[in-house]
Amino acid sequence: MAEALRTHRVVVVGAGVAGLVSALLLACRGLQVTLVERAEMPGGKMRQVMVDGAAVDSGPTVFTMRWVFDQIFEAAGSSLGEQLRLQPLGVLARHAWGGDTRLDLFADAARSAEAIGEFAGPHEARRFGQFCAQAKRVYDTLEGPYIRSERPTLMSMARDLGPSGLGVLGGLGPFASLWQSLSRHFHDPRLQQLFGRYATYCGSSPFAAPATLMLVAQVEMDGVWAVEGGMLAVAAALADLAQRRGVQLRFGQGCDEVLVRGGRACGVRLAGGECIEADSVVFNGDAAALAQGLLGPQCRPAVPAVPAAGRSLSAMTWSMHARTEGFPLVRHNVFFNSDYASEFKDIFERHRLPREGTVYVCAQDRDDNAQLPHDAGGSQGSRPERLLCLVNAPATGDQTPLDPTEIDTCERTHFALMQRCGLTIDRQPHNTVLTTPAGFHRLFPATGGALYGQASHGWMGPFSRPAAASRVPGLYLAGGSVHPGPGVPMAAMSGRLAAETLMAHLDSTSRSRRVHISGGTSTRSATTDSMR
């Protein structure tokens, strides 16, 4: 077996976080691993955009579930502390509804409850405590049977959960949406709106996503960190360690085709025509690219096709290096509209930009006290700062391009919304880079600009994502479009599941063996406790 591992060749396609994790862990297990990436650097969706001389994080901006990365780096003979510098955030996010109506959520749940009591009254503070308790029960129930398991099904979940776990999920209400569950928890519509945002973390509507997504509340309360050097530093650290563990990294070399011989993946053909033979291939791209034949016709059967109507959210993003005034920005800020339901009807039913949506702003130079670094030249508003503004949008980037008038209207509407909440941004052509759904479609082909794979809508939504083992033998899948879902830690977990599934197949003649990753809750709790 050891000799077979040393000669087993793997090509990983794509250097997003999932591809990097797969490559790193497979190399640590003794396999010969080559990673190919069409971009000139690692990261995938964890991208930075140069704006007016500043590198602005313009993809994922939140680092959570630290235990996932603790385990990955430990498995690679290192530690997270050796590779990255993290700063825990005391303020999870600042929320605004217009004028001076604001609410902060804190890493300390007791502080959040106190703030909610002042914002919406003592009864809502009590309901928040009940909501947090249920979110924790849901997370603890699903972490092992769903997040850390490859190919979860209704049958396997029922078996793994047992009567107590089924009771926890049953307590959410049969087939309840997140919005329905939140409406039972909170009476204040602003709090329903705030916690309904968790559905958008996986590109979905709170009015259609399952109530189980309330577990995101527990994920955030377990800790949110800022990464020194930005989120791209996570990819850089993984790439550096992978290279030191023997992975051959080939940037600037895209894959045009996954080669299939005798019904089994056997290598890749690069854009320049070079073919790399392999015994297994890990694809870290959107699974839709396989279904649409962008990686060759023989890979079409690897995954089911996702109809355009089933795509997750895309976005309009403004990466900026600009001065601000008026609003005390912290690192994560959310500006809410007055009609939450209309935002998701516009996007998912009418397939158009929202007439007025929610705006997320990541102020990447701010601390919990809304201050800019003292060594950077002053206080709020006195110098340009790095900002990412995001508005949800339909994933229609492969259809008729947005009319410039639509784009202009969207910009004016949403920057006016922020201004009504007190925030003025000195946005100029030279200090702003706009990315539309069409731009995201060009970056991530076959997606229409969808940033999270398919939407998690309906009670069967969590079971509809492809698993690590595709329908083509020898071809494995990793990334935010496959199980367990989108987001940096989930994508990293998918990379780990892909590596473990491949190794399980090498150790067994049966592809039916189900992979389950050990660790999780106990590691998570120990890590969280040590940080507080």
Side-chain angles (χ1 to χ4, degrees), residues 91-105:
V91 181
L92 299 180
R94 177 158 291 166
H95 309 85
W97 284 266
D100 293 327
T101 306
R102 299 170 190 161
L103 173 63
D104 289 354
L105 287 187

Side-chain angles (χ1 to χ4, degrees), residues 27-50:
C28 289
R29 301 286 283 272
L31 279 63
Q32 298 179 26
V33 183
T34 301
L35 186 151
V36 298
E37 165 60 54
R38 67 172 180 168
E40 297 296 335
M41 63 180 64
K45 290 187 174 73
M46 289 195 299
R47 66 192 190 108
Q48 287 185 336
V49 174
M50 291 301 298

